[in-house]
């Protein structure tokens, strides 16, 4: 059976590199399933859950914003965050969500740049919580 070469890269490291049967990514148009012989494509990733399928096993990662390039034999994900569900510290992420929400609530003291930063932190933190909580139940 044909497989895809999946590479997930962050600024810090190569998070994942292996042959897989399929991958589901959170794209701008919603979740997108990618399998061998997919039409070539490049798209934007949104913070959310990336699901890797290898045989009957699945690997779940929380990912941030980024880009993905797809061809018939490979998927390359470039993102600012990629964390496996079992590595997510739920308490730390909840604290980050609370700090971001508190900062954004003080509208008069917060610059537009700071608001954008807090929105990005909030989106990535919520993606982590979604992945962690979905996989714990």
């Amino acid at each position: 059976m044909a497989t895809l070469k999946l590479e997930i890269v962050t600024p810090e490291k190569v998070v994942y590199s292996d042959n897989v049967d399929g991958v589901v990514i959170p794209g701008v148009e919603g979740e997108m399933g990618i399998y061998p012989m997919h039409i070539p494509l490049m798209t934007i990733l949104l913070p959310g859950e990336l699901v890797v399928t290898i045989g009957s096993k699945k690997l779940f990662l929380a990912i941030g914003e980024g880009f993905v390039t797809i061809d018939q034999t490979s998927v390359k994900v470039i993102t600012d965050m990629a964390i496996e569900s079992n590595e997510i510290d739920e308490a730390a992420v909840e604290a980050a969500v609370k700090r971001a929400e508190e900062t954004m609530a003080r509208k008069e003291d917060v610059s537009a740049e700071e608001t954008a930063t807090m929105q990005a932190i909030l989106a990535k933190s919520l993606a982590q919580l979604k992945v962690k909580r979905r996989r714990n139940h």
Side-chain angles (χ1 to χ4, degrees), residues 4-5 9 32-34 36 50 60 73 87 97 102 119 123 129:
L4 290 166
K5 175 67 174 180
V9 180
M32 180 182 352
I34 304 161
L50 184 142
F60 304 93
T73 60
E87 295 178 358
V97 167
E102 288 171 352
Q119 288 172 337
L129 284 177

Side-chain angles (χ1 to χ4, degrees), residues 2-21:
T3 60
L4 290 166
K5 175 67 174 180
L6 173 63
E7 283 192 350
I8 303 172
V9 180
T10 66
E12 294 82 30
K13 64 182 181 175
V14 175
V15 175
Y16 189 89
S17 180
D18 205 351
N19 290 322
V20 302
D21 295 321

Side-chain angles (χ1 to χ4, degrees), residues 7 24 40 77 79-80 84 88 97 109 112 116 119:
E7 283 192 350
V24 177
V77 176
T79 181
D80 60 353
E84 287 188 41
I88 296 170
V97 167
D109 298 338
Q119 288 172 337

